[in-house]
Amino acid sequence: MLKFSWNATDHVKALAPCRFLHAPKPGLLPSGRRAAAAAVVSCYPASKAPTLAVVSDGSGLVEPWSGSLVDRLRLGGLTEDGLSYKERFLVRSYEVGINKTATVETMANLLQEVACNQVQSLGFSTDGFATTSTMRKMNLIWVTARMHIEIYKYPAWSDVVEIETWFHGEGRIGTRRDWILKDYANGQVIGRATSKWVMMNQETRRLQKVNDDVRDEYLIFCPRESRLAFPEENNGSLKKIAKLEDPAQYSRLGLVPRRVDLDMNQHVNNVTYIGWVLESMPQEIIDSYELQTITLDYRRECQHDNVVDSLSSHEPDENLEAISQLNGTNGSAVYPATEDYRQFLHLLRFSGDGLEINRGRTRWRKKPMR
């Protein structure tokens, strides 16, 4: 790999009005068309060509070093093959909650940030939709269909988290994006996440299949072989979520989006839904347990003038119930399954007509002794 060392006293001239991303292997594109064996680049207008050097810091990152302040301060970049993106984040004091660790909303925001930074590095649009040129011509955008997050250990204030993300196709219906979260100090995996995205027409708000032109534009940036954050077949990210019927055990009614809850597209941010789900959790769970897993299926968009109800009910875990029934029946030690975990179903709905916004599932574990 090319390595250019940066010397602050020696101005590096612009190599070209383009930045190197990766060199795809020659072969057939997903649509069946043959790909040329040429490097993939993201080009700037000649008048805006940045000063550029490609830097490898020994951690497997390739960092485009331009003259912009954000490129110099961002602690991340594409990996050497250009097929995933890694970035490091310092946990700030205002990102820590009552447990003295980062909140799940903080973790979800970091997932969103690193995903946006990857597509920006690849030259996709920066309008909040991560669209390709063909998608913009056809007025198409990506929308979240499902998000699944598992946190094994929450980082504390001043900890450094490294997050790697990548995406790949999901047939004709959309894409999948995965994440791996690590404690940068020791390399320990502290979380994983996966999500599904579908394509929607921005004007009609109807879902649309992914055509060959769009697939060819983004699949060249996907891993050549299937790579999943949750590779096992029987995992919680695939489990169907039943609709929670009213009356629920717990509820928080009349939630109203604040202006700060809106994203750059004037819709309620995906992370806000996580906060709304937690608003209806009983206080005894919040006091004694911490969130381990959250899964959300998104059904409808929420606007700034909508009013939302949050409903939650305890959901028996079939596996834990079976273990509990077997405890002590054959002389084995009692396994405290029902004491260590709690599981809940969730529903967010519009207060007026009761239409479903999203449904969810959370799994909670006993807080560790500190």
Side-chain angles (χ1 to χ4, degrees):
M1 187 192 75
L2 281 176
K3 294 187 179 180
F4 294 91
S5 61
W6 177 267
N7 187 328
T9 61
D10 182 16
H11 297 286
V12 179
K13 301 300 183 181
L15 301 179
C18 301
R19 51 181 171 159
F20 175 83
L21 296 179
H22 70 94
K25 300 176 182 178
L28 294 179
L29 292 168
S31 61
R33 293 179 287 190
R34 181 163 295 278
V40 178
V41 295
S42 176
C43 296
Y44 298 83
S47 61
K48 297 183 179 180
T51 300
L52 175 66
V54 181
V55 179
S56 173
D57 64 0
S59 64
L61 300 183
V62 176
E63 304 188 10
W65 197 280
S66 79
S68 69
L69 183 62
V70 66
D71 285 330
R72 284 183 280 146
L73 296 181
R74 184 175 288 160
L75 300 177
L78 296 168
T79 53
E80 290 190 23
D81 61 6
L83 302 180
S84 70
Y85 182 95
K86 290 182 181 180
E87 188 166 352
R88 300 178 293 278
F89 299 93
L90 177 68
V91 178
R92 313 287 183 173
S93 61
Y94 54 82
E95 296 172 322
V96 172
I98 60 175
N99 295 333
K100 300 180 180 179
T101 56
T103 65
V104 66
E105 292 99 323
T106 292
M107 306 306 287
N109 276 320
L110 294 182
L111 298 181
Q112 186 168 265
E113 174 70 8
V114 73
C116 291
N117 291 344
Q118 181 195 19
V119 295
Q120 186 179 53
S121 297
L122 295 175
F124 290 8
S125 75
T126 57
D127 59 3
F129 294 117
T131 52
T132 66
S133 58
T134 301
M135 289 178 66
R136 291 191 292 277
K137 292 176 183 177
M138 301 177 65
N139 207 26
L140 301 175
I141 59 175
W142 295 112
V143 293
T144 313
R146 170 174 269 225
M147 174 68 74
H148 177 85
I149 304 172
E150 295 186 8
I151 304 297
Y152 313 129
K153 180 183 178 182
Y154 283 89
W157 176 22
S158 77
D159 284 351
V160 177
V161 179
E162 181 180 73
I163 304 178
E164 181 178 9
T165 187
W166 64 94
F167 59 90
H168 44 83
E170 282 278 299
R172 291 289 179 179
I173 61 172
T175 61
R176 168 177 175 151
R177 175 177 286 280
D178 285 17
W179 296 264
I180 298 289
L181 300 88
K182 293 183 179 181
D183 184 331
Y184 186 66
N186 56 28
Q188 177 187 5
V189 175
I190 61 172
R192 303 175 192 270
T194 186
S195 60
K196 292 187 177 180
W197 300 73
V198 293
M199 192 170 290
M200 173 188 286
N201 185 291
Q202 191 173 4
E203 290 185 353
T204 66
R205 316 310 288 181
R206 293 182 179 275
L207 299 184
Q208 187 165 325
K209 289 185 177 180
V210 182
N211 64 31
D212 288 340
D213 289 334
V214 173
R215 282 167 57 83
D216 288 349
E217 284 180 319
Y218 71 79
L219 286 187
I220 58 173
F221 301 113
C222 299
R224 304 292 176 247
E225 299 179 357
S226 179
R227 181 189 177 194
L228 306 177
F230 301 94
E232 65 277 8
E233 293 182 3
N234 184 24
N235 68 79
S237 70
L238 302 175
K239 189 176 180 181
K240 184 177 180 180
I241 304 176
K243 183 178 180 180
L244 176 60
E245 300 295 341
D246 210 8
Q249 291 177 297
Y250 312 98
S251 62
R252 179 70 182 272
L253 309 181
L255 297 169
V256 179
R258 302 170 302 163
R259 289 174 180 169
V260 72
D261 295 326
L262 303 181
D263 59 22
M264 63 184 76
N265 306 308
Q266 300 300 310
H267 295 94
V268 171
N269 189 287
N270 290 337
V271 179
T272 298
Y273 296 112
I274 296 177
W276 284 346
V277 163
L278 301 184
E279 280 297 308
S280 59
M281 285 296 297
Q283 189 61 44
E284 58 267 24
I285 297 296
I286 300 297
D287 291 340
S288 302
Y289 292 78
E290 66 180 8
L291 184 64
Q292 175 175 296
T293 303
I294 183 167
T295 311
L296 289 179
D297 281 341
Y298 295 88
R299 304 303 177 98
R300 284 181 175 82
E301 298 175 290
C302 189
Q303 312 289 339
H304 67 91
D305 55 352
N306 291 132
V307 182
V308 176
D309 294 337
S310 174
L311 309 177
S312 297
S313 286
H314 178 261
E315 180 190 33
D317 187 310
E318 297 176 358
N319 296 327
L320 294 181
E321 293 291 338
I323 293 173
S324 178
Q325 293 175 8
L326 291 174
N327 278 345
T329 59
N330 60 355
S332 62
V334 175
Y335 179 73
T338 56
E339 295 299 323
D340 289 343
Y341 292 94
R342 294 290 186 271
Q343 194 161 282
F344 290 82
L345 286 177
H346 306 274
L347 175 69
L348 294 180
R349 68 183 184 190
F350 293 127
S351 294
D353 52 24
L355 290 177
E356 182 180 17
I357 302 172
N358 63 32
R359 62 181 67 176
R361 173 183 289 113
T362 57
R363 181 176 169 89
W364 301 73
R365 60 174 175 255
K366 269 285 191 180
K367 286 184 179 179
M369 300 296 294
R370 299 189 185 279

